[in-house]
Structure formats: structure tokens, C-alpha cells
Amino acid sequence: MSKKMSDHLWLMDEALKEAHKAYREDEVPIGAVIANADGAIISHAHNQKEKVHNPCGHAEILAITDAAKKLGNWRLLDCSIYVTLEPCPMCLSALIQARIGHLYFGAYDTKGGALSLNYNFYKDQKLNHSFPVTGGLRHFECSRLLSTFFKEKRTGYSKN
């Protein structure tokens, strides 16, 4: 994929569209897209923990599952994931298992993000896969959506 910043920002915008879908469904607004080496989106997902009553219904897990099915291969070596929030330890581990090529994320998560909590599995040489990570893409937009969602939850705001 081209290394132009505009390509990365466009892909994060697509992940933000997924996050907005989650928001409208009263899910924590996190979205993810997976792009192949050419920059074409091969999967997209948003959080669905509440909808499917599954603690593993994170956007990253759903996007990985969909991408692997579409490619007919669980190894996503030439793919990049764009996710609106720093992955939790479960999702970061899933990205390692999927052999993702590159992780890009928007907002940092100091309370639950694997990297912010110093769980840097993605660069642990004892594991059989590592990958580069780029954080802070569209940080403001991603953070604002999450902050709005949780503020509304705390104040009992109704979107209906």
C-alpha cells in the first residue's frame, strides 16, 4: 500500500464510520477495518458485544474473523488493521495470532489499552510474530466519539 498519509487517514475515516454504526446501535463506539497490501478494504466491523451477548464481540475480533474468511487464510501478513481505539490485551493477542502486518489506531486507552498498560505483546521476541504499531491517527475524532457516548451513558441521555 502507498505510504501516503492521506491513505491512512482515509482508512481510519472508514473505521470511524463503523464506530458511528456501533454508536447508533448503543454499543461502545469502536470500529475497525482491515485493508490488504494494495489498500483495499477487505473487512470492516464494529463492536457488537451487547447485540450478540458475546464478550469477544470486539470490532477487531469481528474484522479479523471476516477477513480470514474472505481470504481463505487466517494469516493476515500483508494486511493492516485500522481501529478507532487502542486494542485491549485480548485484541492485541488476536492480532498476533492473525499475523497482522501493521496496526494503526486512533485514540489511546489509558484504562484498558494493551499498549498504555504496557502489555507490548506485539514486540515480544519470545512470540513468533511481531508488527509495527502506529497510534494517534484521527485521535481527536475517535476520542470525542467515545467521550460523547460515555457522557450520555452517565447522564442517562436517551437517543430515542
Side-chain angles (χ1 to χ4, degrees), residues 106-147:
Y108 287 85
D109 182 1
T110 58
K111 294 180 181 177
L115 288 79
S116 290
L117 295 173
N118 209 27
Y119 296 121
N120 296 311
F121 308 131
Y122 72 98
K123 60 183 180 181
D124 188 334
Q125 296 303 308
K126 293 176 274 188
L127 299 174
N128 61 357
H129 182 70
S130 62
F131 51 86
V133 173
T134 304
L137 246 55
R138 299 277 193 231
H139 173 79
F140 178 75
E141 295 90 335
C142 296
S143 295
R144 184 177 57 205
L145 180 59
L146 285 156
S147 295

Side-chain angles (χ1 to χ4, degrees), residues 98-112:
R99 310 295 195 265
I100 199 73
H102 198 123
L103 162 64
Y104 297 89
F105 68 88
Y108 287 85
D109 182 1
T110 58
K111 294 180 181 177

Side-chain angles (χ1 to χ4, degrees), residues 5 15-16 24 66 70 137:
M5 182 55 74
L16 269 163
R24 288 189 301 273
D66 186 49
K70 287 178 178 172
L137 246 55

